[in-house]
Amino acid sequence: AQSVTQLDSHVSVSEGTPVLLRCNYSSSYSPSLFWYVQHPNKGLQLLLKYTSAATLVKGINGFEAEFKKSETSFHLTKPSAHMSDAAEYFCVVSDENTGGFKTIFGAGTRLFVKA
Amino acid sequence: SQTIHQWPATLVQPVGSPLSLECTVEGTSNPNLYWYRQAAGRGLQLLFYSVGIGQISSEVPQNLSASRPQDRQFILSSKKLLLSDSGFYLCAWNGQPSTEAFFGQGTRLTVV
């Protein structure tokens, strides 16, 4: 069975410092992994996705994530946080299962950016 | 291009009343369809998903049910709402495991 765990419910960083949002997953097959961002009172926006190509994936707004199969992780990083990065971030796994596939979201990590 | 419609946007219903939320997708065929509930600190909880007409998988036991009477129509229902059914419900679709999920605008349901 597939699942996704976001290890931190809240992360707080200072503007200009690195961001690390952690995600672990479990999957019986070869999953596709995504990160979405949701700004307050806005819809969900795709940041990046991994689909069995390069393990280091670059996304929008300077974010990137590395797929590590041995660690079953897909952590999201950014070298330098900006105030506009304050939002909620969701790690997502999409995987084949009996009769089809399904897409599961993590519980989310709220990122706070301090001036 | 593909679009997804979800309605109503907001709904206030008394306890014990029925519920029907509807979602339709345009511009694609045989999509995977989903109903999620979003709650603070719990992310998007997958309630139901469907890989085809009449094929519904339930992820969590609850007071709700889902149906897919047509390829691009997904309905979330309840015969008798509970206070705990209040929340923000999102319909979504994707075409393949490797593709982005697209969301409706959501329905804010308040059970009073």
Side-chain angles (χ1 to χ4, degrees):
Chain A
Q2 66 198 89
S3 66
V4 57
T5 303
Q6 292 185 242
L7 300 169
D8 307 291
S9 60
H10 299 86
V11 169
S12 182
V13 300
S14 297
E15 192 174 23
T17 64
V19 176
L20 170 64
L21 305 183
R22 299 182 294 166
C23 173
N24 286 102
Y25 71 93
S26 67
S27 172
S28 302
Y29 300 93
S30 297
S32 296
L33 297 160
F34 307 77
W35 277 97
Y36 286 78
V37 61
Q38 187 176 35
H39 291 272
N41 300 316
K42 299 282 188 180
L44 289 145
Q45 180 183 20
L46 179 68
L47 271 181
L48 50 82
K49 67 177 182 179
Y50 165 79
T51 57
S52 76
T55 56
L56 182 62
V57 182
K58 294 187 183 299
I60 61 172
N61 301 333
F63 285 94
E64 61 182 37
E66 186 171 9
F67 173 70
K68 292 186 177 180
K69 187 173 182 178
S70 60
E71 299 176 10
T72 62
S73 69
F74 190 57
H75 301 334
L76 182 70
T77 60
K78 182 174 180 177
S80 176
H82 191 272
M83 295 297 289
S84 60
D85 294 327
E88 187 148 25
Y89 292 79
F90 297 96
C91 184
V92 179
V93 60
S94 190
D95 200 3
E96 307 278 350
N97 56 54
T98 303
F101 71 94
K102 64 181 178 181
T103 299
I104 291 179
F105 281 68
T109 299
R110 174 77 62 179
L111 176 65
F112 298 93
V113 182
K114 299 175 288 187
Chain B
S1 62
Q2 305 93 351
T3 56
I4 178 169
H5 303 281
Q6 181 183 344
W7 67 93
T10 59
L11 192 59
V12 179
Q13 292 283 97
V15 169
S17 64
L19 173 72
S20 181
L21 303 183
E22 188 161 345
C23 174
T24 60
V25 179
E26 297 176 359
T28 187
S29 59
N30 197 33
N32 253 39
L33 295 171
Y34 305 84
W35 280 109
Y36 294 94
R37 180 165 53 203
Q38 186 172 20
R42 298 189 63 183
L44 271 68
Q45 182 185 30
L46 179 60
L47 303 177
F48 301 94
Y49 73 100
S50 171
V51 301
I53 295 174
Q55 300 178 64
I56 308 296
S57 297
S58 175
E59 289 294 293
V60 292
Q62 59 204 310
N63 186 43
L64 303 168
S65 62
S67 61
R68 185 170 178 174
Q70 300 180 48
D71 181 44
R72 288 169 287 182
Q73 183 185 27
F74 204 26
I75 298 171
L76 183 69
S77 304
S78 173
K79 292 182 180 179
K80 290 186 178 181
L81 284 168
L82 305 172
L83 286 174
S84 58
D85 291 324
S86 294
F88 189 62
Y89 292 84
L90 283 163
C91 179
W93 77 273
N94 56 11
Q96 299 289 335
S98 59
T99 59
E100 177 180 359
F102 297 93
F103 290 85
Q105 291 300 302
T107 298
R108 174 73 61 191
L109 172 65
T110 304
V111 183
V112 296

